[in-house]
Amino acid sequence: MAGGGGCRRGREQLELERLGQAVRAGSCPPSPPLSACSRQAWSRDNPGFEPEEDAATAAAGPVLEMDVEWGSRAASSLSSGAGGPAGGGRRARRGPAGRGGAEGPGRLPGPPDGAAPRRAAWAKRLARRLRGLWGTRLMEESNTSRERYLKSVLRELITYMIFLVVLCVLTYGTVSSSMYYYTRVMSQLFLETPVSKTERTDFKTLSTMDDFWKFAEGPLLDGLYWEMWYNNKTMAENKSFIYYENLLLGVPRIRQLKVRNGSCSIPEDLKDEIKDCYDVYSVANEDTAPFGLRNGTAWTYTNEKDLNGSSHWGLIATYSGAGYYQDLSRTREVTALQIASLKKNLWLDRGTRAAFIDFSVYNANINLFCVVRLLVEFPATGGLVTSWQFQPVRLIHYISTFDFFLAACEMSFCLFVLYYMVEEILEIRIHRLQYFRSLWNCLDILIIVLSVVAIGISIYRTSTVDMLLKKLLEDQNSFPNFEPLAYWQMQFNNIAAVTVFFVWIKLFKFVNFNRTMSQLSTTMSRCVKDVIGFAIMFFIIFLAYAQLAYLVFGTQIDDFSTFQDCIFTQFRIILGDFNFTEVEEANRILGPIYFTTFVFFMFFILLNMFLAIINDTYSEVKSDMAQQKAEIELSDLIRKGYNKAMIKLKLKKTTVDDISESLRQGGGKLNFDELRQDLKGKGHTDAEIEAIFTKYDQDGDQELTEHEHQQMRDDLEKEREDLDLDRSSLPRPLSSRSFPRSLDDSEEDEDEDSGHSSRRRGSSSSGVSYEEFQVLMRRVDRMEHSIGSIVSKIDAVIVKLEAMERAKLKRRDVLGRLLDGVTEDERLGRDNEIHREQMERLVREELERWESDDTASQMSHRLGTPLGLNGQPRSRNSRPSSSQSDGIDAGAGNGGSNIHV
């Protein structure tokens, strides 16, 4: 009684009463088995579920699932007594008896109270909710519907956009235009100031050691020590504020690196003329012996560890952090005396290969440090080469309100990194090695690794700067070595820049779900093989020209001085940035030949071949996408959610009302184009419109007749009644046309639109789920698309057969007249026996061949297998659908009446 109607009504209270009566009676009445859709929904939410194999066992007892969902003590105790372990979502298979179970009728196994099932239910629910936090596309099952799949994509996209915004705020919040102006004014002061009022030489144009000492005694001292105002008033004592705003931290340091005498070999013929030889710089050739005055750090060697230094990559070589150094003073007078002493005692000599000038300043107005390094390299060829490095860094954090906002963003960034780490671990656990076959997954791992490295550098930088500033405040006459911090800050900036770049690139992973935007990725993936083949051919020619240019122009032109410079210069030539005059002056014969042939092959041939490959592939991709059936896209899902929100706010009509209004406006007949145009203007997608029209267009004529109108109206009225019932009662009643739903299924179905739910309910009677119905629809659409091409080929064959038949009739008529002529000759007694016999034989052979062809054609026509172009019988499996086959058979019949004799 109660067991027969409980599943249809779906009310919790009635179900509990039915179960209570069953327990009191000592046995459970048989309940109807779960439908195929409910089992599928349950298995989707519980991957470990396996359906029962025999229907008799499934129908032997009630399947109780609501105890863990409702959390009711009575429900849990009753479900425990129904025959299964407590807390399970599905009961164990019954024994052969199937009625009372092993415990006997009326006996309740398991714990007496419902505490354990409730705890298991809460734990299971909590685990499901936590797993839902990391629900992505890769965690969805393969049979998931397109709409549910796109919902996961949309949730993943929203989370990722928040992560992208936080990352951009962090990276752009630490960089400002003040850094550029800070670097510019400092570089102008030390790089562009002339060494004297009578000379125009500045730091950039130094050429001799004498110029170096002029710079050290002039612009360097003037730039480091600002002790007087412009009105000759003295500033703060023992403090220097460069440009009156930038505090000089500690004291500057000047350091040099030398190579030892005899580090290179002198030819035997020139040993009498050349006594000393100093090789190019290398760590192995570095001089560590004291020299000059042999006292103090300026004349004795100090290793890199004691100096807490690091290597530096110069223009000529890479230099270590060791050497001979002199810490200058906080006052201009003492520093001038120190520089004069170094110059007088020949601190720089033939063995000197590099001289470093290091100092740091701080601007409290913008909270920025500027770590400055001026490098003068003395190559073994003589002369000198200058380079410089100005690094504005923000080493002190959390001062202003915006800094605390950035601190909150940093915490959010760390949480996002942890979130994505858990997400990738779960995905790797599910897919194993298959996970790494996707380029996007590898990009996710790369972003996480870069983010973790950036977090580690930031923590190290923050902790180190505090110790360094504390040491500086204790001894202000020491050199503050901010160079390692500046180095790590540069690495942090580089890692942050690369991370932001890859994070922006990853947006293509979500944009590809749009039909138009996916053309780029599809084009690139299709033309990979062609591009790789082209790249091999391109770089063979490119590197050949680079080697030629390096050997011919390397000693004459700066842009070709190294092989790497040759490669970059040739890329610039392709882009139109070149200096033909220098090439021509370097070699008046090979220069023009090299330039002309390189431009011709690279620009006019190879570059256009590359563009042709891209254009052809893009055309193919565009044509293929035009033939694909339109599916619901991410934009359609967003539009759908917007429409549902507008309907709930009563600002827009429902889908049922829109279709009903379109039917009323259509009157008698309504074709697909009219319905599509009307519903498209009301915000519905092409996929929804086509699905609705295909469902009711039974004859396939792209028009809805009055009978089809009436069927659609009836279904719409039923749909409207269901919507009214859904609105009137919070617990959704289960009508006779709907699936038996569990609590999880009802929550999920509330997110489905009315059009889709109607199709789901319509398929419940046959036991086919909505997902399976969609798969079948796609298969039928693909079959119809293939049948269309088959029909066109059949029509072409019929036309050709008709033309062949007309030609055969003409030839029959001609040969008949020839035979009549031969007969006439015989009747008149003309003597041409040999000619007559030959003509008669040829004619009879031709006629016999025609008769055999006619017989084969008639047999194939009776069997319904028309012949193709090669005379092979055409398979009946390639016939079109019923809506198209009638017209084809009719056309074939007409053609057959014209063909057969």
Side-chain angles (χ1 to χ4, degrees), residues 518-545:
S518 63
Q519 293 181 4
L520 174 62
S521 60
T522 307
T523 301
M524 297 304 297
S525 61
R526 283 197 183 183
C527 67
V528 167
K529 293 183 179 179
D530 295 335
V531 171
I532 291 176
F534 167 80
I536 294 174
M537 178 178 59
F538 175 84
F539 281 107
I540 288 175
I541 302 176
F542 188 85
L543 294 177
Y545 272 102

Side-chain angles (χ1 to χ4, degrees), residues 344-355:
K344 179 181 179 181
N345 293 281
L346 200 63
W347 190 62
L348 300 179
D349 55 15
R350 290 184 56 191
T352 303
R353 289 292 175 259

Side-chain angles (χ1 to χ4, degrees), residues 60 77 91 141 178 182 242 263 367 378 385 479 497 527 552 594 599 641 756 778 809 895:
S77 61
R91 298 301 168 214
E141 296 184 4
S178 301
Y182 197 14
I242 301 175
S263 55
N367 189 26
F378 301 90
V385 179
F479 169 73
C527 67
V552 175
Y594 158 80
V599 171
H756 288 178
R778 287 193 290 270
L809 290 175

Side-chain angles (χ1 to χ4, degrees), residues 94-107:
R94 293 180 180 272
R99 292 293 179 182
E103 300 293 332
R107 191 170 180 179

Side-chain angles (χ1 to χ4, degrees), residues 569-639:
T569 302
Q570 289 187 160
F571 278 117
R572 288 168 52 194
I573 292 175
I574 294 176
L575 297 176
D577 181 15
F578 57 87
N579 190 343
F580 177 73
T581 304
E582 290 184 349
V583 175
E584 187 180 21
E585 291 177 352
N587 194 310
R588 300 176 64 181
I589 297 177
L590 292 179
I593 294 176
Y594 158 80
F595 182 82
T596 304
T597 56
F598 178 80
V599 171
F600 177 76
F601 283 109
M602 289 294 168
F603 187 80
F604 291 104
I605 296 180
L606 293 180
L607 188 60
N608 285 282
M609 286 179 60
F610 176 74
L611 295 178
I613 292 173
I614 300 297
N615 288 332
D616 291 344
T617 309
Y618 180 76
S619 300
E620 294 177 2
V621 170
K622 194 171 183 180
S623 61
D624 292 346
M625 287 189 172
Q627 297 177 1
Q628 292 179 359
K629 181 176 177 62
E631 292 185 347
I632 181 172
E633 297 182 357
L634 198 58
S635 57
D636 300 330
L637 184 64
I638 297 174
R639 189 185 303 111

